[in-house]
Structure formats: structure tokens, C-alpha cells
Amino acid sequence: MIVIGIDPHKSTHTATALDSATNTDLGSIRIDASVIEYKRLIVWAKAWPDRRWAIENADGLGHHLALWLLAIGEVVHDIPTTATARVRELSRGGRRKNDRIDAAAAASVAALHGDARQVYPETVNDALALLDERRVNLSSSRTRTVNQLHALLRELMAGGAPTSLTPKKAAAAIRGFRARTAPDKIRLELAKELITDFARFDEQLAANSRKITALLDEHGTHLRNIDGVGPVLAARILGRSGRASRFPTAAAYASYTGTAPVQIASADSSHHRLSRFGDRQLNSALYTIAMIQIRMPSSTGRAFYDKKIAEGKTPRTAARALKRHLATHLWRAMLADEKRGIRAISRESLTAA
């Protein structure tokens, strides 16, 4: 098996072929980041029919090349930058760094150290991740706009505007206002602009929600049947988790979400502490679901929380335990959805045949 390591940059990519059995460098090539050059890369790689690709940071600068290789049937693995740095540090190259060393390091990591993650073609989950990121950006911009509008309205009128501000309420508040000074005229003009932005962000967020709901319907996920999981949280969980089957166990998924406690052990002493690692956006989503379920007297989450309290746990510890429990529940639900999707595709293939 030949492993071809790729060190991607914005304008160029460097590839190094490595024999995984002997760890021998078989050659290297540097190409421009373009489809024409991708084809030249494939022509060069045909010297090794039994090959796979190891791309450093395949979700970043190597994303386009990774998807192109997948589209033509190649096997692609993603190598974390931390893994290539570790290999480079321990190699004979010492602290030297160049594109060929990086590419070879990525290939050797994939071939020998097991730090590689196989890359698959994009799915609905990736579309949901894009919509979730856009929603986060829109929400941040909306919040910033509303805060600026509140500050201006406080300066224009006594007491400012009510906390539950909407574009209509803001427009009504300044409708009868007459600016008497030059600064107030500018404040009034800026307030009108911010109200327009405010309304636009609300429209964009509503459109974003409709797109998310449509994609979730297409996905066929059952996450929305879980208490506390609405369309927005379901999109975030699916988008940031990806394929559920890439996690071998529920414990692996819990570690990925940062809900699994970290063991600290030395000699005869052993205890667990709160994990600060993992995907913090997923961790936040699980916290939101846990808080919603705790507030729902009839939910299974509330029953689990009450059980932990009865065992003598503090409310905070019980809530953390519920987050860990939810991580397992969500992983199993996503895995079941994935298996149903595979069976559906198999049935369609048999029908077509």
C-alpha cells in the first residue's frame, strides 16, 4: 500500500508518496491549486495503483482537493495538523519544516500511527453545518445591531425603548420624534438604518429556519422527537457531529462533545473532573437540551435528573450527568437514522435493478 501525503496551501499543494511497509520516500510533486493541476497529480499517482491519500487538514485548505479525489473514487484520509507536527518533531528532520517534510509526515501518520480519519463525500449533514454557521453569524449580527439601536434610543428619548424590542416597536418609538440638534439628527438617521438592518436580519433568520426544516425533513432524522430538540438544535447536532458511525462507541461520542468526565489518577488517588475539551458548540447544545428537559416534569431527562438528586448528587453534578446521558441517547438516535438511510438506499437500488 502506497500512501500519498498532501501538504495543502491556498495556491499550491505538495504531494509525497510513501511506501507504508518500508517507510520509504518514493517521490514528490508540487502542483498549483487548480483542477487542471489536480489531473496532473492523478497522472503522477498512477504509478502506484494500490494507493490512498492522506491530506493534512482536509477540512481546511485541503477541502477542495479532498472532495475532488473522492468524486473520482479515491480513498482519502484527513490528518490533523497536530499529528504531522508530532511526527516532524520526532523525525530525523528535527525542527526543520518544509512542504515535502510536511507531506511525508502526513503520509507516515496515516500509514503508521492510526491518527487518520477517513473522509467521505458530503451529505445533508454538511449542508446543515453551513446553515448553522450562517445562523450563528446572523444571530450575532442581529444582537449587535439591537444593542446599538437600544443605545441610540436611550440617547434620543428618556428611558429608551422597551427590552422586548422589534423593528415595528422601534419604528413606532421614533415616528413622532423631532431632532433639534445636529447630533440628534445623526442619531435619528442611524436609528432608522439600524431598524432596517434589524428587520433584514429577522427575515434572514426566518428564511434560514425554513431551509433547516426542509433539510431535516429530507434527512429523515428522528432527533426532533427528543424532548428539547427543535430544528435549530437538531441542525447543530447533525452538522457538527457528521456521520454517527465514525464514532465507534457512545463513550467516544461523549468524549467528542466534552461531556465525558476526565479521569485524574496517580498512585492510589483517582478522581474525575469536568472536561474542558471537545466540541464546545455541541456541548452547549447538550446543555440547552438538558436544561429544557429538567424544566419539563414529564420528560425522561427530568426523571434521570431526579434520580441523581435522590442519590445525593448536587444539582450541578446531576445536570452534568444528564448531559452525558443525553450524549449517548443522541448518538444512538443518529446511528439508527443512519442505518435506516442505508437500508432505504439498498431497497431503492434493488428496486431499480
Side-chain angles (χ1 to χ4, degrees):
M1 170 66 73
I2 302 302
V3 182
I4 302 177
I6 301 288
D7 180 38
H9 293 273
K10 184 176 181 181
S11 57
T12 63
H13 300 321
T14 301
T16 300
L18 194 79
D19 188 333
S20 60
T22 62
N23 208 25
T24 304
D25 186 336
L26 302 177
S28 183
I29 186 174
R30 189 186 187 95
I31 64 167
D32 293 330
S34 67
V35 174
I36 293 176
E37 290 287 274
Y38 291 172
K39 293 177 181 177
R40 186 165 74 91
L41 176 64
I42 286 295
V43 171
W44 172 80
K46 284 182 178 178
W48 306 284
D50 186 18
R51 63 179 180 266
R52 57 187 171 123
W53 302 78
I55 301 180
E56 183 182 38
N57 191 19
D59 289 333
L61 291 172
H63 187 64
H64 190 272
L65 175 60
L67 293 181
W68 189 86
L69 289 171
L70 288 173
I72 63 172
E74 299 287 322
V75 177
V76 180
H77 289 83
D78 174 36
I79 311 298
T81 54
T82 52
T84 59
R86 182 171 64 250
V87 170
R88 189 171 60 248
E89 183 72 18
L90 297 175
S91 70
R92 287 177 297 174
R95 295 182 180 276
R96 288 181 296 167
K97 182 183 187 303
N98 60 51
D99 292 345
R100 181 160 183 162
I101 291 174
D102 280 354
S108 63
V109 169
L112 305 175
H113 296 279
D115 286 326
R117 175 184 64 85
Q118 187 166 354
V119 182
Y120 294 92
E122 291 185 315
T123 63
V124 174
N125 286 6
D126 297 285
L128 288 169
L130 292 171
L131 287 175
D132 177 59
E133 183 180 3
R134 174 60 173 161
R135 186 174 189 85
V136 170
N137 292 333
L138 285 173
S139 297
S140 298
S141 298
R142 181 187 183 276
T143 299
R144 186 167 57 250
T145 298
V146 172
N147 290 340
Q148 292 173 350
L149 182 56
H150 270 294
L152 283 174
L153 293 178
R154 283 197 304 270
E155 295 172 353
L156 284 172
M157 58 190 69
T163 303
S164 56
L165 194 63
T166 65
K168 289 183 178 179
K169 289 180 180 179
I174 65 171
R175 187 169 295 127
F177 185 82
R178 295 293 179 267
R180 301 182 184 280
T181 64
D184 275 354
K185 288 179 181 178
I186 296 299
R187 289 188 182 99
L188 189 60
E189 290 175 3
L190 292 177
K192 291 178 180 178
E193 291 178 6
L194 289 171
I195 290 170
T196 301
D197 292 342
F198 189 1
R200 175 168 54 84
F201 286 133
D202 281 351
E203 291 173 1
Q204 290 176 315
L205 284 167
N208 180 273
S209 293
R210 290 192 293 271
K211 292 176 183 177
I212 284 176
T213 300
L215 281 178
L216 289 173
D217 292 339
E218 178 184 338
H219 184 284
T221 178
H222 288 70
L223 285 183
R224 287 175 291 180
N225 296 337
I226 299 173
D227 291 332
V229 182
V232 173
L233 285 180
R236 180 161 302 167
I237 292 165
L238 290 169
R240 301 194 72 89
S241 299
R243 298 170 61 256
S245 58
R246 72 189 180 97
F247 302 100
T249 63
Y253 183 68
S255 179
Y256 180 76
T257 61
T259 55
V262 178
Q263 183 180 19
I264 306 297
S266 178
D268 295 331
S269 173
S270 178
H271 66 278
H272 291 79
R273 65 169 177 81
L274 179 68
S275 173
R276 298 293 183 185
F277 302 100
D279 189 311
R280 304 317 296 175
Q281 293 290 332
L282 271 177
N283 191 282
S284 176
L286 286 165
Y287 175 81
T288 301
I289 298 168
M291 292 301 102
I292 292 173
Q293 290 196 359
I294 288 172
R295 295 188 182 101
M296 299 173 64
S298 60
S299 69
T300 55
R302 179 54 189 260
F304 181 90
Y305 175 82
D306 289 340
K307 177 184 175 183
K308 291 298 177 182
I309 294 294
E311 292 174 357
K313 306 293 186 183
T314 64
R316 179 175 292 183
T317 303
R320 288 174 182 168
L322 176 56
K323 283 171 61 179
R324 173 64 180 84
H325 175 74
L326 283 171
T328 298
H329 187 51
L330 290 170
W331 176 74
R332 288 173 177 168
M334 289 187 290
L335 194 61
D337 288 338
E338 189 177 318
K339 290 178 178 178
R340 274 191 292 269
I342 293 172
R343 287 196 295 268
I345 292 173
S346 299
R347 284 196 297 269
E348 289 176 2
S349 300
L350 290 173
T351 304

